[in-house]
Amino acid sequence: MPELPEVETVCRAMASHLVGRRVTDAWTDGLRLREVLSRAAVHSLVGERFEDARRRAKFLLFPLSSGRTLLVHLGMTGNLVFRTGANAEPSAHDHVLLSLDEGPPLVYADPRRFGLFQVLTATQLTRSKWLKSLGIEPLSIAFDADFLLTACQGRSRPIKNLLLDGHIVVGIGNIYASESLFA
């Protein structure tokens, strides 16, 4: 599964290439991902302009010109890529293809289909079960030794399990938890 640094890298790439682009056409296979992939929601993206690209935990958030937000999670094997040339046609693991007003189309592919691709209103975003109970960002100033001490108090579970708990600290996966504890 992509960990926080990989998701941050995707976010920065999307910010530099996607922001300001308008969706001119949308295609989806409609197959179920982590949740149902709504054909209507994907097709409703036509005419939308990407206003920003942000990350919260391992989720990518793309605010749109209508005030809605595209929420994407890469799952275990998903990716967002700009597809060019002969590879622009959908392949077996492509679930969403967004044609843009400039440049190559944006493709969401996920072979194992553990990812997420949702178009949410502002209200739906604030109520999203995926986002509402997330913990602190490990790259924030608030994440320090005092925070960890407080988070550990009164708990008897191993520290690695605490680091992996997204309700306490977000985005840390097995690799970075192990490396952090080793250091």
Side-chain angles (χ1 to χ4, degrees):
M1 173 182 293
E3 294 200 39
L4 187 135
E6 290 82 12
V7 177
E8 180 66 23
T9 299
V10 172
C11 183
R12 290 179 185 188
M14 293 298 115
S16 65
H17 297 292
L18 188 63
V19 173
R21 299 281 69 82
R22 188 172 300 278
V23 178
T24 59
D25 195 14
W27 170 89
T28 179
D29 63 2
L31 293 177
R32 181 181 175 85
L33 300 173
R34 186 179 297 188
E35 288 194 356
V36 173
L37 179 56
S38 167
R39 288 181 191 272
V42 171
H43 291 292
S44 77
L45 291 170
V46 174
E48 291 276 15
R49 185 179 64 248
F50 289 93
E51 299 291 325
D52 196 6
R54 297 192 309 256
R55 181 195 54 76
R56 175 71 170 111
K58 295 180 186 179
F59 291 91
L60 296 162
L61 295 101
F62 302 101
L64 304 166
S65 53
S66 67
R68 298 182 303 164
T69 299
L70 174 60
L71 177 67
V72 176
H73 192 285
L74 301 176
M76 299 275 300
T77 57
N79 62 45
L80 282 172
V81 296
F82 292 101
R83 181 116 3 109
T84 58
N87 296 329
E89 292 301 314
S91 67
H93 301 298
D94 294 347
H95 301 293
V96 177
L97 191 144
L98 301 177
S99 298
L100 304 172
D101 60 352
E102 186 178 315
L106 177 67
V107 177
Y108 175 76
D110 187 359
R112 296 186 68 190
R113 298 192 348 226
F114 292 155
L116 187 69
F117 194 97
Q118 295 182 325
V119 182
L120 304 174
T121 65
T123 302
Q124 290 170 325
L125 186 66
T126 59
R127 294 181 181 164
S128 171
K129 69 180 181 180
W130 305 108
L131 301 174
K132 68 180 177 181
S133 62
L134 292 174
I136 191 169
E137 290 280 342
L139 302 178
S140 69
I141 292 174
F143 184 70
D144 59 13
D146 290 334
F147 172 83
L148 278 177
L149 178 63
T150 302
C152 290
Q153 289 177 338
R155 298 177 194 263
S156 60
R157 65 182 173 167
I159 185 74
K160 183 175 181 182
N161 293 356
L162 185 125
L163 291 174
L164 293 171
D165 185 342
H167 296 95
I168 297 170
V169 60
V170 298
I172 297 178
N174 190 49
I175 294 169
Y176 289 101
S178 294
E179 291 296 323
S180 299
L181 292 172
F182 179 77

